[in-house]
Amino acid sequence: MKYKSQKVAYWFFALCMLLLVLQLTYGFIMGFARIGMDGLHEFIPFNTARAVHTNLLVVWLLAGFMGAAYYIIPEEAQRELVSVKLAYVQLISLAVVGVIAVVGYHFNHWEGRKFLEIPRELDYLVVVNVLLFLGLILATLFTGKRRTTTALVLTMGLLFAALLYLPGMIWFDSQVTDSFFRWWVVHLWVEGVWELIMGGILAYLLIKLTGVDREVIEKWLYVIVGLTFLSGILGTGHHYYYIGVNKIWLIVGGIFSALEPLAFLAMALFAMYMYRKGEKSHPNKIALFWTIGSSIVSFIGAGLLGFAHTLPQTNIYTHGTLVTAMHGHYAFWGAYAMIVLAIISYAIPNMTGRKRYNNSAGHLAFWLSNIGMLGMTVAFGVAGVAQVYLERKMKLDFMDVQNEISIHFVVLILCATMFTSGILMYIVEFLKYGKPTDEALEA
Amino acid sequence: MLSKSQARTFFLGGTLVTFLAFIGLTVYSFQPKNDQTNIKKLDAKAIKGKAIWEANNCMGCHTLMGEGGYYAPELTKVIERRGEGYVKAVLQSPIPWGPKGRKMVKYEMNDEDTEAMIAFLKWVGEIDLNGFDRVVSPLAKD
């Protein structure tokens, strides 16, 4: 750690850990409900559990991105954050908004729009919160001694993520128009600007962990984020095939979303090539595992599994089935959860001064969580494909099909238990590091 | 070999071109001649139905036009499939609806809200979904 103000990142990461545990808890509630064990239905019906599960995912990932920015930007700009106090205000207000939203979901207080359930009055608070965050990051960046490509790409991703939240706040009378612009937020976040954030964090970690020249890494970073937008913006069309908009999206969405895996492939090749090219052997191997792992799993989850059902001819059968849940889980895990866990694994030893990386518990956490998530993805996939054939081709009743495939959710719960064991081990390791200290400052 | 400035130009240029194309296609999609939703038939009752749909987060369990929670049935063609009477009974049920073991939230809706929901689902059921409506309807032959 080079600047005292980087310590603020620790508390964003701690919030991540807390929200992640809550997210997994609600995931289990949903998993058990799917095999008929819905004893909590009166208090936490499935739609509540689902809204909490997905919104906590978004909030903990955003908290992770923000923590990453508070850690990375001072180092890249070579100056302290402009205001540590305001960064803490931003952290507390983010947590408060998140808690109010989640509590509200249990009392039927929401917008009922997938991924954007936060009610309107809280939307405005989110906007204020994000503006404060961006103000701090931009002020630090533009008053710093240098403006690196890594910092600019990361900041651009965060800025666009904030701007793209706005179309989701507009009311439309038509369900079709509503869905159309909801995807401006959700798709252009996860298959657009969040990839900029991921790319920025990945580039920073590769510079630090491999020792490869910054100019080389940043040049390829431009190529990767270029491919991301080139395919991802018009790739939004794959959400428009069957929601009541013009047929032109079948062609546009089909072509460009088929190109989307290229960006993830480039990211995976980029990370592996830089690792091989690097002459520096950084002792924090666990951070390297998460970093390279993120680039590979994101290619499989977001790239390959996305491609598997993105063509209109396939999607007409898989749209609205558990096949989407299969892709969604592995894509979010690889692309975003793992990169946040990577930057935490890199930053925590530097902030606390305790170089206790590379113990067996850290590696076990990595493998347990990854194998568990792979198992969950397979369970969702098998259930989804069976659902497609039974419901969409054989025309069986929805609930008859759900009862037939419920065994796959038993497998899912077992794999989720393994995944959760890995995550809990990761959190125990996080806690064992203790709190950040000024003594960890590099001379 | 590609230089850093060329890579930056590729990123900025590619982003700008595709973003402009995206905006153009969005404008094209919402021109009245390209409407596939019978937007003129969207009346106040159906709009109220949409508000109720959102206020209760129905999408958290059901899917509509293939979007939602994958936990409860697809409702795109539900009026055609089940009829208004069945849908009314579900929405007004005093106990959680769950004929095959999976429970729905008990809404006990009044007549006015129920009619609005039915109007909304009817309007959705008549949208041209580029073929998806045939896949999700058991009345379809393909």
PDB file of all heavy atoms in Angstrom, chain A residues 34 108 110-111 114 172 178-179 182-183 218-219 241 249 319 395, chain B residues 2 4 15 29 50 54-56 60 65-68 70 102 130 135:
ATOM      1  N   ARG A  34     -37.550 -24.827  -4.447  1.00  0.00           N
ATOM      2  CA  ARG A  34     -37.709 -25.547  -5.724  1.00  0.00           C
ATOM      3  C   ARG A  34     -37.841 -27.059  -5.539  1.00  0.00           C
ATOM      4  O   ARG A  34     -38.282 -27.753  -6.436  1.00  0.00           O
ATOM      5  CB  ARG A  34     -36.531 -25.229  -6.662  1.00  0.00           C
ATOM      6  CG  ARG A  34     -36.659 -23.878  -7.338  1.00  0.00           C
ATOM      7  CD  ARG A  34     -35.614 -23.730  -8.414  1.00  0.00           C
ATOM      8  NE  ARG A  34     -35.775 -22.486  -9.148  1.00  0.00           N
ATOM      9  CZ  ARG A  34     -36.596 -22.332 -10.184  1.00  0.00           C
ATOM     10  NH1 ARG A  34     -37.330 -23.335 -10.592  1.00  0.00           N
ATOM     11  NH2 ARG A  34     -36.672 -21.171 -10.806  1.00  0.00           N
ATOM     12  N   ASN A 108     -43.361  -6.160   0.348  1.00  0.00           N
ATOM     13  CA  ASN A 108     -43.962  -5.856  -0.960  1.00  0.00           C
ATOM     14  C   ASN A 108     -43.677  -4.433  -1.427  1.00  0.00           C
ATOM     15  O   ASN A 108     -44.480  -3.824  -2.133  1.00  0.00           O
ATOM     16  CB  ASN A 108     -45.485  -6.087  -0.901  1.00  0.00           C
ATOM     17  CG  ASN A 108     -45.999  -6.758  -2.169  1.00  0.00           C
ATOM     18  OD1 ASN A 108     -45.257  -7.462  -2.851  1.00  0.00           O
ATOM     19  ND2 ASN A 108     -47.264  -6.526  -2.498  1.00  0.00           N
ATOM     20  N   TRP A 110     -41.398  -2.582  -3.753  1.00  0.00           N
ATOM     21  CA  TRP A 110     -40.417  -2.742  -4.826  1.00  0.00           C
ATOM     22  C   TRP A 110     -41.022  -2.307  -6.143  1.00  0.00           C
ATOM     23  O   TRP A 110     -42.198  -1.942  -6.215  1.00  0.00           O
ATOM     24  CB  TRP A 110     -39.960  -4.204  -4.921  1.00  0.00           C
ATOM     25  CG  TRP A 110     -41.058  -5.216  -4.806  1.00  0.00           C
ATOM     26  CD1 TRP A 110     -42.392  -5.030  -5.065  1.00  0.00           C
ATOM     27  CD2 TRP A 110     -40.943  -6.566  -4.357  1.00  0.00           C
ATOM     28  NE1 TRP A 110     -43.086  -6.175  -4.821  1.00  0.00           N
ATOM     29  CE2 TRP A 110     -42.231  -7.142  -4.392  1.00  0.00           C
ATOM     30  CE3 TRP A 110     -39.870  -7.354  -3.950  1.00  0.00           C
ATOM     31  CZ2 TRP A 110     -42.477  -8.457  -4.020  1.00  0.00           C
ATOM     32  CZ3 TRP A 110     -40.121  -8.657  -3.596  1.00  0.00           C
ATOM     33  CH2 TRP A 110     -41.409  -9.197  -3.622  1.00  0.00           C
ATOM     34  N   GLU A 111     -40.225  -2.379  -7.218  1.00  0.00           N
ATOM     35  CA  GLU A 111     -40.753  -2.020  -8.536  1.00  0.00           C
ATOM     36  C   GLU A 111     -41.121  -3.233  -9.377  1.00  0.00           C
ATOM     37  O   GLU A 111     -41.761  -3.087 -10.412  1.00  0.00           O
ATOM     38  CB  GLU A 111     -39.756  -1.145  -9.292  1.00  0.00           C
ATOM     39  CG  GLU A 111     -39.915   0.309  -8.930  1.00  0.00           C
ATOM     40  CD  GLU A 111     -39.239   1.228  -9.907  1.00  0.00           C
ATOM     41  OE1 GLU A 111     -38.749   0.778 -10.959  1.00  0.00           O
ATOM     42  OE2 GLU A 111     -39.201   2.425  -9.604  1.00  0.00           O
ATOM     43  N   LYS A 114     -37.246  -7.057 -13.124  1.00  0.00           N
ATOM     44  CA  LYS A 114     -36.119  -7.954 -12.888  1.00  0.00           C
ATOM     45  C   LYS A 114     -34.767  -7.225 -12.845  1.00  0.00           C
ATOM     46  O   LYS A 114     -34.414  -6.525 -13.796  1.00  0.00           O
ATOM     47  CB  LYS A 114     -36.110  -9.000 -14.009  1.00  0.00           C
ATOM     48  CG  LYS A 114     -35.247 -10.195 -13.771  1.00  0.00           C
ATOM     49  CD  LYS A 114     -35.471 -11.178 -14.920  1.00  0.00           C
ATOM     50  CE  LYS A 114     -34.475 -12.292 -14.898  1.00  0.00           C
ATOM     51  NZ  LYS A 114     -34.658 -13.172 -16.064  1.00  0.00           N
ATOM     52  N   PHE A 172     -42.720   3.497 -18.289  1.00  0.00           N
ATOM     53  CA  PHE A 172     -43.346   3.315 -19.604  1.00  0.00           C
ATOM     54  C   PHE A 172     -44.668   2.581 -19.412  1.00  0.00           C
ATOM     55  O   PHE A 172     -44.740   1.625 -18.640  1.00  0.00           O
ATOM     56  CB  PHE A 172     -42.439   2.479 -20.519  1.00  0.00           C
ATOM     57  CG  PHE A 172     -41.140   3.156 -20.866  1.00  0.00           C
ATOM     58  CD1 PHE A 172     -39.960   2.792 -20.232  1.00  0.00           C
ATOM     59  CD2 PHE A 172     -41.091   4.156 -21.817  1.00  0.00           C
ATOM     60  CE1 PHE A 172     -38.761   3.409 -20.542  1.00  0.00           C
ATOM     61  CE2 PHE A 172     -39.902   4.784 -22.136  1.00  0.00           C
ATOM     62  CZ  PHE A 172     -38.732   4.411 -21.499  1.00  0.00           C
ATOM     63  N   ASP A 178     -40.899  -0.917 -21.705  1.00  0.00           N
ATOM     64  CA  ASP A 178     -40.280  -1.041 -20.385  1.00  0.00           C
ATOM     65  C   ASP A 178     -39.137  -2.054 -20.429  1.00  0.00           C
ATOM     66  O   ASP A 178     -38.021  -1.779 -19.973  1.00  0.00           O
ATOM     67  CB  ASP A 178     -41.363  -1.490 -19.387  1.00  0.00           C
ATOM     68  CG  ASP A 178     -40.939  -1.296 -17.953  1.00  0.00           C
ATOM     69  OD1 ASP A 178     -39.958  -1.935 -17.551  1.00  0.00           O
ATOM     70  OD2 ASP A 178     -41.590  -0.513 -17.231  1.00  0.00           O
ATOM     71  N   SER A 179     -39.427  -3.226 -21.004  1.00  0.00           N
ATOM     72  CA  SER A 179     -38.397  -4.266 -21.104  1.00  0.00           C
ATOM     73  C   SER A 179     -37.237  -3.796 -21.969  1.00  0.00           C
ATOM     74  O   SER A 179     -36.075  -4.051 -21.648  1.00  0.00           O
ATOM     75  CB  SER A 179     -38.984  -5.524 -21.757  1.00  0.00           C
ATOM     76  OG  SER A 179     -39.436  -6.407 -20.796  1.00  0.00           O
ATOM     77  N   ARG A 182     -35.182  -1.443 -19.981  1.00  0.00           N
ATOM     78  CA  ARG A 182     -34.599  -2.126 -18.814  1.00  0.00           C
ATOM     79  C   ARG A 182     -33.300  -2.825 -19.229  1.00  0.00           C
ATOM     80  O   ARG A 182     -32.326  -2.836 -18.498  1.00  0.00           O
ATOM     81  CB  ARG A 182     -35.599  -3.138 -18.245  1.00  0.00           C
ATOM     82  CG  ARG A 182     -35.220  -3.731 -16.903  1.00  0.00           C
ATOM     83  CD  ARG A 182     -36.382  -4.491 -16.279  1.00  0.00           C
ATOM     84  NE  ARG A 182     -36.937  -5.470 -17.176  1.00  0.00           N
ATOM     85  CZ  ARG A 182     -36.400  -6.680 -17.397  1.00  0.00           C
ATOM     86  NH1 ARG A 182     -35.318  -7.050 -16.755  1.00  0.00           N
ATOM     87  NH2 ARG A 182     -36.945  -7.517 -18.248  1.00  0.00           N
ATOM     88  N   TRP A 183     -33.292  -3.353 -20.458  1.00  0.00           N
ATOM     89  CA  TRP A 183     -32.073  -4.016 -20.932  1.00  0.00           C
ATOM     90  C   TRP A 183     -30.958  -3.036 -21.237  1.00  0.00           C
ATOM     91  O   TRP A 183     -29.790  -3.409 -21.276  1.00  0.00           O
ATOM     92  CB  TRP A 183     -32.372  -4.911 -22.141  1.00  0.00           C
ATOM     93  CG  TRP A 183     -33.109  -6.161 -21.745  1.00  0.00           C
ATOM     94  CD1 TRP A 183     -34.362  -6.531 -22.131  1.00  0.00           C
ATOM     95  CD2 TRP A 183     -32.653  -7.187 -20.849  1.00  0.00           C
ATOM     96  NE1 TRP A 183     -34.714  -7.720 -21.535  1.00  0.00           N
ATOM     97  CE2 TRP A 183     -33.680  -8.152 -20.744  1.00  0.00           C
ATOM     98  CE3 TRP A 183     -31.477  -7.388 -20.115  1.00  0.00           C
ATOM     99  CZ2 TRP A 183     -33.578  -9.287 -19.944  1.00  0.00           C
ATOM    100  CZ3 TRP A 183     -31.374  -8.524 -19.328  1.00  0.00           C
ATOM    101  CH2 TRP A 183     -32.409  -9.451 -19.253  1.00  0.00           C
ATOM    102  N   GLU A 218      -1.597  -2.224 -21.386  1.00  0.00           N
ATOM    103  CA  GLU A 218      -2.643  -1.223 -21.642  1.00  0.00           C
ATOM    104  C   GLU A 218      -3.029  -1.157 -23.122  1.00  0.00           C
ATOM    105  O   GLU A 218      -4.170  -0.850 -23.459  1.00  0.00           O
ATOM    106  CB  GLU A 218      -2.198   0.137 -21.099  1.00  0.00           C
ATOM    107  CG  GLU A 218      -2.160   0.127 -19.564  1.00  0.00           C
ATOM    108  CD  GLU A 218      -1.809   1.469 -18.956  1.00  0.00           C
ATOM    109  OE1 GLU A 218      -1.207   2.296 -19.664  1.00  0.00           O
ATOM    110  OE2 GLU A 218      -2.153   1.683 -17.778  1.00  0.00           O
ATOM    111  N   LYS A 219      -2.086  -1.465 -23.984  1.00  0.00           N
ATOM    112  CA  LYS A 219      -2.425  -1.500 -25.419  1.00  0.00           C
ATOM    113  C   LYS A 219      -3.468  -2.590 -25.669  1.00  0.00           C
ATOM    114  O   LYS A 219      -4.493  -2.360 -26.316  1.00  0.00           O
ATOM    115  CB  LYS A 219      -1.153  -1.785 -26.249  1.00  0.00           C
ATOM    116  CG  LYS A 219      -1.441  -1.923 -27.720  1.00  0.00           C
ATOM    117  CD  LYS A 219      -0.175  -2.149 -28.520  1.00  0.00           C
ATOM    118  CE  LYS A 219       0.296  -3.571 -28.431  1.00  0.00           C
ATOM    119  NZ  LYS A 219       1.495  -3.834 -29.245  1.00  0.00           N
ATOM    120  N   TYR A 241     -35.235 -10.336 -29.172  1.00  0.00           N
ATOM    121  CA  TYR A 241     -35.794 -11.257 -30.170  1.00  0.00           C
ATOM    122  C   TYR A 241     -37.303 -11.446 -30.000  1.00  0.00           C
ATOM    123  O   TYR A 241     -38.063 -11.371 -30.953  1.00  0.00           O
ATOM    124  CB  TYR A 241     -35.170 -12.655 -30.023  1.00  0.00           C
ATOM    125  CG  TYR A 241     -33.696 -12.785 -30.302  1.00  0.00           C
ATOM    126  CD1 TYR A 241     -32.985 -13.859 -29.751  1.00  0.00           C
ATOM    127  CD2 TYR A 241     -33.001 -11.901 -31.112  1.00  0.00           C
ATOM    128  CE1 TYR A 241     -31.632 -14.038 -30.000  1.00  0.00           C
ATOM    129  CE2 TYR A 241     -31.650 -12.078 -31.355  1.00  0.00           C
ATOM    130  CZ  TYR A 241     -30.967 -13.148 -30.793  1.00  0.00           C
ATOM    131  OH  TYR A 241     -29.627 -13.326 -31.034  1.00  0.00           O
ATOM    132  N   TRP A 249     -34.079  -7.072 -34.995  1.00  0.00           N
ATOM    133  CA  TRP A 249     -33.198  -7.449 -33.888  1.00  0.00           C
ATOM    134  C   TRP A 249     -32.798  -8.926 -33.953  1.00  0.00           C
ATOM    135  O   TRP A 249     -31.795  -9.318 -33.364  1.00  0.00           O
ATOM    136  CB  TRP A 249     -33.851  -7.124 -32.536  1.00  0.00           C
ATOM    137  CG  TRP A 249     -33.960  -5.657 -32.313  1.00  0.00           C
ATOM    138  CD1 TRP A 249     -35.092  -4.897 -32.373  1.00  0.00           C
ATOM    139  CD2 TRP A 249     -32.891  -4.746 -32.025  1.00  0.00           C
ATOM    140  NE1 TRP A 249     -34.797  -3.573 -32.144  1.00  0.00           N
ATOM    141  CE2 TRP A 249     -33.457  -3.449 -31.923  1.00  0.00           C
ATOM    142  CE3 TRP A 249     -31.510  -4.882 -31.839  1.00  0.00           C
ATOM    143  CZ2 TRP A 249     -32.701  -2.316 -31.639  1.00  0.00           C
ATOM    144  CZ3 TRP A 249     -30.749  -3.747 -31.558  1.00  0.00           C
ATOM    145  CH2 TRP A 249     -31.355  -2.487 -31.466  1.00  0.00           C
ATOM    146  N   HIS A 319     -35.372 -19.315 -24.297  1.00  0.00           N
ATOM    147  CA  HIS A 319     -35.758 -18.030 -23.707  1.00  0.00           C
ATOM    148  C   HIS A 319     -36.782 -18.254 -22.586  1.00  0.00           C
ATOM    149  O   HIS A 319     -37.809 -18.894 -22.799  1.00  0.00           O
ATOM    150  CB  HIS A 319     -36.370 -17.176 -24.822  1.00  0.00           C
ATOM    151  CG  HIS A 319     -36.852 -15.834 -24.404  1.00  0.00           C
ATOM    152  ND1 HIS A 319     -36.077 -14.936 -23.693  1.00  0.00           N
ATOM    153  CD2 HIS A 319     -38.036 -15.207 -24.607  1.00  0.00           C
ATOM    154  CE1 HIS A 319     -36.771 -13.837 -23.489  1.00  0.00           C
ATOM    155  NE2 HIS A 319     -37.957 -13.967 -24.028  1.00  0.00           N
ATOM    156  N   LYS A 395     -44.640 -30.146 -24.944  1.00  0.00           N
ATOM    157  CA  LYS A 395     -45.829 -29.392 -24.517  1.00  0.00           C
ATOM    158  C   LYS A 395     -46.435 -29.900 -23.208  1.00  0.00           C
ATOM    159  O   LYS A 395     -47.648 -29.850 -23.015  1.00  0.00           O
ATOM    160  CB  LYS A 395     -46.902 -29.404 -25.616  1.00  0.00           C
ATOM    161  CG  LYS A 395     -46.429 -28.884 -26.961  1.00  0.00           C
ATOM    162  CD  LYS A 395     -46.128 -27.409 -26.907  1.00  0.00           C
ATOM    163  CE  LYS A 395     -45.627 -26.887 -28.250  1.00  0.00           C
ATOM    164  NZ  LYS A 395     -45.086 -25.543 -28.173  1.00  0.00           N
TER     165      LYS A 395
ATOM    166  N   LEU B   2       0.516  -3.474 -34.009  1.00  0.00           N
ATOM    167  CA  LEU B   2      -0.455  -2.486 -33.527  1.00  0.00           C
ATOM    168  C   LEU B   2       0.167  -1.594 -32.445  1.00  0.00           C
ATOM    169  O   LEU B   2       0.787  -2.083 -31.512  1.00  0.00           O
ATOM    170  CB  LEU B   2      -1.635  -3.259 -32.924  1.00  0.00           C
ATOM    171  CG  LEU B   2      -2.859  -2.471 -32.501  1.00  0.00           C
ATOM    172  CD1 LEU B   2      -3.688  -2.073 -33.709  1.00  0.00           C
ATOM    173  CD2 LEU B   2      -3.710  -3.304 -31.534  1.00  0.00           C
ATOM    174  N   LYS B   4      -0.223   1.548 -29.461  1.00  0.00           N
ATOM    175  CA  LYS B   4      -1.219   1.849 -28.419  1.00  0.00           C
ATOM    176  C   LYS B   4      -2.244   2.864 -28.926  1.00  0.00           C
ATOM    177  O   LYS B   4      -3.432   2.759 -28.628  1.00  0.00           O
ATOM    178  CB  LYS B   4      -0.508   2.377 -27.173  1.00  0.00           C
ATOM    179  CG  LYS B   4      -1.424   2.451 -25.961  1.00  0.00           C
ATOM    180  CD  LYS B   4      -0.641   2.819 -24.708  1.00  0.00           C
ATOM    181  CE  LYS B   4      -1.550   3.019 -23.526  1.00  0.00           C
ATOM    182  NZ  LYS B   4      -0.827   3.434 -22.322  1.00  0.00           N
ATOM    183  N   THR B  15     -16.611   1.894 -30.641  1.00  0.00           N
ATOM    184  CA  THR B  15     -17.676   2.204 -29.678  1.00  0.00           C
ATOM    185  C   THR B  15     -18.638   3.236 -30.255  1.00  0.00           C
ATOM    186  O   THR B  15     -19.859   3.086 -30.170  1.00  0.00           O
ATOM    187  CB  THR B  15     -17.050   2.734 -28.366  1.00  0.00           C
ATOM    188  OG1 THR B  15     -16.167   1.741 -27.867  1.00  0.00           O
ATOM    189  CG2 THR B  15     -18.123   3.030 -27.327  1.00  0.00           C
ATOM    190  N   SER B  29     -37.068   0.939 -34.338  1.00  0.00           N
ATOM    191  CA  SER B  29     -37.959  -0.039 -33.695  1.00  0.00           C
ATOM    192  C   SER B  29     -39.241   0.583 -33.168  1.00  0.00           C
ATOM    193  O   SER B  29     -40.275  -0.073 -33.123  1.00  0.00           O
ATOM    194  CB  SER B  29     -37.237  -0.705 -32.515  1.00  0.00           C
ATOM    195  OG  SER B  29     -36.161  -1.434 -32.965  1.00  0.00           O
ATOM    196  N   LYS B  50     -50.522  -3.275 -15.559  1.00  0.00           N
ATOM    197  CA  LYS B  50     -49.047  -3.316 -15.559  1.00  0.00           C
ATOM    198  C   LYS B  50     -48.498  -2.799 -14.226  1.00  0.00           C
ATOM    199  O   LYS B  50     -47.550  -3.357 -13.665  1.00  0.00           O
ATOM    200  CB  LYS B  50     -48.491  -2.471 -16.712  1.00  0.00           C
ATOM    201  CG  LYS B  50     -46.974  -2.411 -16.730  1.00  0.00           C
ATOM    202  CD  LYS B  50     -46.458  -1.595 -17.899  1.00  0.00           C
ATOM    203  CE  LYS B  50     -44.937  -1.505 -17.893  1.00  0.00           C
ATOM    204  NZ  LYS B  50     -44.407  -0.453 -17.037  1.00  0.00           N
ATOM    205  N   GLU B  54     -46.215  -4.877 -11.554  1.00  0.00           N
ATOM    206  CA  GLU B  54     -44.924  -4.449 -11.018  1.00  0.00           C
ATOM    207  C   GLU B  54     -44.954  -4.309  -9.501  1.00  0.00           C
ATOM    208  O   GLU B  54     -44.010  -4.682  -8.811  1.00  0.00           O
ATOM    209  CB  GLU B  54     -44.501  -3.119 -11.650  1.00  0.00           C
ATOM    210  CG  GLU B  54     -44.045  -3.299 -13.081  1.00  0.00           C
ATOM    211  CD  GLU B  54     -43.503  -2.018 -13.698  1.00  0.00           C
ATOM    212  OE1 GLU B  54     -43.335  -1.022 -12.975  1.00  0.00           O
ATOM    213  OE2 GLU B  54     -43.272  -2.021 -14.915  1.00  0.00           O
ATOM    214  N   ALA B  55     -46.059  -3.760  -8.986  1.00  0.00           N
ATOM    215  CA  ALA B  55     -46.138  -3.513  -7.538  1.00  0.00           C
ATOM    216  C   ALA B  55     -46.040  -4.814  -6.747  1.00  0.00           C
ATOM    217  O   ALA B  55     -45.604  -4.814  -5.598  1.00  0.00           O
ATOM    218  CB  ALA B  55     -47.443  -2.793  -7.206  1.00  0.00           C
ATOM    219  N   ASN B  56     -46.463  -5.927  -7.360  1.00  0.00           N
ATOM    220  CA  ASN B  56     -46.419  -7.216  -6.657  1.00  0.00           C
ATOM    221  C   ASN B  56     -45.252  -8.094  -7.097  1.00  0.00           C
ATOM    222  O   ASN B  56     -45.144  -9.233  -6.666  1.00  0.00           O
ATOM    223  CB  ASN B  56     -47.737  -7.959  -6.863  1.00  0.00           C
ATOM    224  CG  ASN B  56     -48.875  -7.259  -6.152  1.00  0.00           C
ATOM    225  OD1 ASN B  56     -48.872  -7.150  -4.929  1.00  0.00           O
ATOM    226  ND2 ASN B  56     -49.822  -6.735  -6.912  1.00  0.00           N
ATOM    227  N   GLY B  60     -41.034 -11.861 -10.351  1.00  0.00           N
ATOM    228  CA  GLY B  60     -40.091 -12.537  -9.464  1.00  0.00           C
ATOM    229  C   GLY B  60     -40.289 -14.048  -9.470  1.00  0.00           C
ATOM    230  O   GLY B  60     -39.390 -14.796  -9.067  1.00  0.00           O
ATOM    231  N   MET B  65     -43.475 -12.938 -21.613  1.00  0.00           N
ATOM    232  CA  MET B  65     -42.667 -12.790 -22.827  1.00  0.00           C
ATOM    233  C   MET B  65     -41.263 -13.364 -22.591  1.00  0.00           C
ATOM    234  O   MET B  65     -40.267 -12.853 -23.075  1.00  0.00           O
ATOM    235  CB  MET B  65     -42.589 -11.320 -23.266  1.00  0.00           C
ATOM    236  CG  MET B  65     -43.962 -10.736 -23.577  1.00  0.00           C
ATOM    237  SD  MET B  65     -43.927  -9.094 -24.277  1.00  0.00           S
ATOM    238  CE  MET B  65     -43.496  -8.106 -22.870  1.00  0.00           C
ATOM    239  N   GLY B  66     -41.227 -14.411 -21.765  1.00  0.00           N
ATOM    240  CA  GLY B  66     -39.963 -15.105 -21.506  1.00  0.00           C
ATOM    241  C   GLY B  66     -39.069 -14.446 -20.475  1.00  0.00           C
ATOM    242  O   GLY B  66     -37.957 -14.911 -20.233  1.00  0.00           O
ATOM    243  N   GLU B  67     -39.530 -13.380 -19.814  1.00  0.00           N
ATOM    244  CA  GLU B  67     -38.684 -12.688 -18.850  1.00  0.00           C
ATOM    245  C   GLU B  67     -39.255 -12.824 -17.448  1.00  0.00           C
ATOM    246  O   GLU B  67     -40.437 -12.528 -17.240  1.00  0.00           O
ATOM    247  CB  GLU B  67     -38.586 -11.207 -19.226  1.00  0.00           C
ATOM    248  CG  GLU B  67     -37.946 -11.022 -20.581  1.00  0.00           C
ATOM    249  CD  GLU B  67     -37.662  -9.564 -20.874  1.00  0.00           C
ATOM    250  OE1 GLU B  67     -38.394  -8.701 -20.372  1.00  0.00           O
ATOM    251  OE2 GLU B  67     -36.703  -9.311 -21.603  1.00  0.00           O
ATOM    252  N   GLY B  68     -38.432 -13.260 -16.518  1.00  0.00           N
ATOM    253  CA  GLY B  68     -38.921 -13.380 -15.148  1.00  0.00           C
ATOM    254  C   GLY B  68     -38.125 -14.356 -14.322  1.00  0.00           C
ATOM    255  O   GLY B  68     -36.918 -14.498 -14.521  1.00  0.00           O
ATOM    256  N   TYR B  70     -38.651 -17.863 -13.657  1.00  0.00           N
ATOM    257  CA  TYR B  70     -38.591 -19.286 -14.025  1.00  0.00           C
ATOM    258  C   TYR B  70     -39.116 -20.204 -12.929  1.00  0.00           C
ATOM    259  O   TYR B  70     -38.807 -21.394 -12.906  1.00  0.00           O
ATOM    260  CB  TYR B  70     -37.161 -19.736 -14.412  1.00  0.00           C
ATOM    261  CG  TYR B  70     -36.323 -18.709 -15.127  1.00  0.00           C
ATOM    262  CD1 TYR B  70     -35.061 -18.347 -14.663  1.00  0.00           C
ATOM    263  CD2 TYR B  70     -36.796 -18.091 -16.280  1.00  0.00           C
ATOM    264  CE1 TYR B  70     -34.297 -17.397 -15.316  1.00  0.00           C
ATOM    265  CE2 TYR B  70     -36.031 -17.144 -16.951  1.00  0.00           C
ATOM    266  CZ  TYR B  70     -34.791 -16.798 -16.457  1.00  0.00           C
ATOM    267  OH  TYR B  70     -34.034 -15.867 -17.105  1.00  0.00           O
ATOM    268  N   ARG B 102     -46.591 -26.077  -5.709  1.00  0.00           N
ATOM    269  CA  ARG B 102     -45.763 -24.870  -5.585  1.00  0.00           C
ATOM    270  C   ARG B 102     -46.667 -23.690  -5.273  1.00  0.00           C
ATOM    271  O   ARG B 102     -47.542 -23.371  -6.067  1.00  0.00           O
ATOM    272  CB  ARG B 102     -44.972 -24.645  -6.876  1.00  0.00           C
ATOM    273  CG  ARG B 102     -43.896 -23.611  -6.736  1.00  0.00           C
ATOM    274  CD  ARG B 102     -42.977 -23.615  -7.931  1.00  0.00           C
ATOM    275  NE  ARG B 102     -41.994 -24.699  -7.860  1.00  0.00           N
ATOM    276  CZ  ARG B 102     -41.064 -24.918  -8.779  1.00  0.00           C
ATOM    277  NH1 ARG B 102     -40.994 -24.145  -9.844  1.00  0.00           N
ATOM    278  NH2 ARG B 102     -40.213 -25.917  -8.644  1.00  0.00           N
ATOM    279  N   ASN B 130     -42.645 -12.480 -32.631  1.00  0.00           N
ATOM    280  CA  ASN B 130     -41.721 -13.067 -33.615  1.00  0.00           C
ATOM    281  C   ASN B 130     -41.655 -14.594 -33.523  1.00  0.00           C
ATOM    282  O   ASN B 130     -40.591 -15.187 -33.732  1.00  0.00           O
ATOM    283  CB  ASN B 130     -40.301 -12.482 -33.454  1.00  0.00           C
ATOM    284  CG  ASN B 130     -40.252 -11.006 -33.769  1.00  0.00           C
ATOM    285  OD1 ASN B 130     -41.113 -10.485 -34.478  1.00  0.00           O
ATOM    286  ND2 ASN B 130     -39.268 -10.307 -33.225  1.00  0.00           N
ATOM    287  N   VAL B 135     -44.407 -20.880 -29.435  1.00  0.00           N
ATOM    288  CA  VAL B 135     -43.649 -21.865 -28.659  1.00  0.00           C
ATOM    289  C   VAL B 135     -44.223 -22.019 -27.246  1.00  0.00           C
ATOM    290  O   VAL B 135     -44.303 -23.121 -26.719  1.00  0.00           O
ATOM    291  CB  VAL B 135     -42.158 -21.457 -28.595  1.00  0.00           C
ATOM    292  CG1 VAL B 135     -41.384 -22.373 -27.655  1.00  0.00           C
ATOM    293  CG2 VAL B 135     -41.554 -21.517 -29.976  1.00  0.00           C
TER     294      VAL B 135
END
